[in-house]
Amino acid sequence: ENKGRLCRALMTMHPLDKRFACLEISYLDPGENNAGKITVVSLFRPEKRNSVSTEMWREIGTAFHLVGSIGDNCRCVILRGAGKGFCGGIDMLDEHFLAGMDGDDDSIRRAIAFKPQILEMQDAFTAIERCQVPVVAAVHGCCIGAGMDMICCADVRVASASAVFSVREARVGLAADVGTLQRFPKLVGSGSIVRELCLTGRDFGAKVALELGFVSCLVEDDGDLMRAATNICLEICRNSPVAVACTKASLNYSRDHTVADGLEHVALMNSTALQSEDLAKAFMINSGAAADTQYQPLLAHSRL
């Protein structure tokens, strides 16, 4: 795949695309009256199986910090990998990852100096989770190590039959430290299989991922994967962007808090959100009274 080849009849390049070397960012216009736009973020190092370099790592954090928050009328994001697989893990040939561990200084001083890099790497992937709009990960081929970290941050995961997943870190001498060990158990809800997969570093296929509930849709052919992801995005995009944003925020908050805290949080959100014009518009759209009624896009975020 050459840069830009992803643009098909319904795809145009996103204005953010020029900012990135290791990502391709496109618009997918569904052509529906009220659906807004779907943004496609593609990991773009196909010659390296989309292994994550330090440059790509930074770009992922920046891209998901911006997508859906700049007034681009983005209602949903598809995260995919260009070429033959989703992501081959961390680029072990990128010496910048461990540069902070070099030197003859005292080990504790090196550790104190190195910790901020780990936190920065965590924050870059957490930006996927914090993205205001839902993120659907479309996985084909290898999804190893850092690839698992990424898709654990997505809201929805779909896969083709060729997908192979692995929490590979234990096999290469470290504990996964960018989110899989924290998120994966909460996504599949089975402590035994999670620990087995994480402690062994063993590969598992798309059918196992579906059985675990890690992915919600499985297609046989890689060529059908984008269609499956797009169909999910279209269903989401037909809903009020305010309702979708608040639903995602509540789901994320409630995962890490008690039921009582989650109820308080959603009550506070809805005390404002229920005053939105979207409530009346949703009723009109769903009743068929005004099928051409459109939701207003979310505003660009205010920034310093």
Side-chain angles (χ1 to χ4, degrees), residues 242 269-277 279:
V242 171
M269 279 199 307
N270 267 6
S271 63
T272 301
L274 289 175
Q275 300 179 53
S276 168
E277 63 180 13
L279 195 65

Side-chain angles (χ1 to χ4, degrees), residues 184-185 188-200 202 212:
F184 190 36
V188 304
S190 173
S192 178
I193 190 63
V194 165
R195 287 171 183 259
E196 180 181 339
L197 293 172
C198 293
L199 293 170
T200 63
R202 188 176 71 234
L212 292 174

